[in-house]
Amino acid sequence: MKRSRARVEISPSILAADFACLERDIHAAEAGGAQRIHFDVMDGHFVPNLTIGMPVLASIRRVTTVPVEVHLMIERAGDFVDAFARAGASRIYVHQEATVHLDRQLNAIRELGVEAAVAINPATPVTVLSEVLELVSAVLVMTVNPGFGGQKFIPRSIGRIRELAELRARYGADFRIAVDGGVEPENVAEIVGAGADILIAGTSVFHTPDPSAAVRQLLERAQEALAVRV
Ligand code: DX5
Ligand code: ZN
């Protein structure tokens, strides 16, 4: 099942940026055409790594005009969504696997005036989300196991993206499909062809000599693939 979407967005993940030069790196990504910024939060429990939190979000919020989407890879996300909303998140993803009362949590995020969204790990079937599809503005398909940047895209993720696009069509839902992990110019055509609308990319943007050019290249590849898909 193919569904035509107006555009594909690139959401650079600042996990791979230089934390001493976040403003410079974010502006470089914007100059390349990034329509949003991806902000990864890890707690050392849900995933085996620690990253950044609300004060860093509040600081970058002041130096960028594009929306910042927050990907919470943490337990007890409900204890923090209010603080992330106040720090300037435009969208908050919680993990299905870390959230016992997913319906309640997504509604609570919406009540804060923030877009609610949900993420799933590579081993989680997409159909587990069928009862919450109307509550979310985006579903994030993890295409690596969460916790670290720079991992290899898991090839069977393509089938999961396609399955989610089919589920969306079947339910008449209107969320965007975000893909996170191992996105690079070489696999963009296949990912967009399967139905993705938001490409989250860290290493392939910031671990290059020219992050603006890297975003531009991802965007061009995405637009080419979209033209074929539509
Ligand atoms: C991984 C994070 C990703 C990560 C992607 O757990 O959720 O957003 O930054 O990084 P790359 O593009 O390097 O795979
Ligand atoms: Zn992420």
Side-chain angles (χ1 to χ4, degrees), residues 29-149:
E30 285 175 12
Q35 295 96 332
R36 56 181 65 242
I37 296 294
H38 186 80
F39 189 95
D40 287 306
V41 182
M42 305 185 188
D43 66 351
H45 295 278
F46 178 62
V47 291
N49 200 1
L50 292 166
T51 55
I52 44 181
M54 293 81 81
V56 179
L57 176 60
S59 293
I60 69 168
R61 187 59 286 165
R62 288 194 284 274
V63 300
T64 182
T65 53
V66 301
V68 181
E69 56 173 22
V70 173
H71 179 190
L72 295 180
M73 287 161 276
I74 64 174
E75 293 176 0
R76 304 181 64 90
D79 292 353
F80 298 97
V81 290
D82 184 52
F84 278 106
R86 276 187 279 114
S90 64
R91 169 186 289 151
I92 297 178
Y93 294 96
V94 293
H95 263 268
Q96 184 273 335
E97 301 85 357
T99 311
V100 179
H101 299 290
L102 188 58
D103 179 275
R104 174 188 287 154
Q105 185 59 80
L106 293 170
N107 278 301
I109 294 170
R110 287 161 63 106
E111 279 162 24
L112 293 168
V114 173
E115 290 180 39
V118 65
I120 49 170
N121 286 337
T124 301
V126 298
T127 48
V128 80
L129 299 177
S130 57
E131 302 307 320
V132 298
L133 295 180
E134 64 183 32
L135 296 176
V136 295
S137 69
V139 173
L140 184 156
V141 178
M142 282 304 312
T143 46
V144 299
N145 286 293
F148 304 94

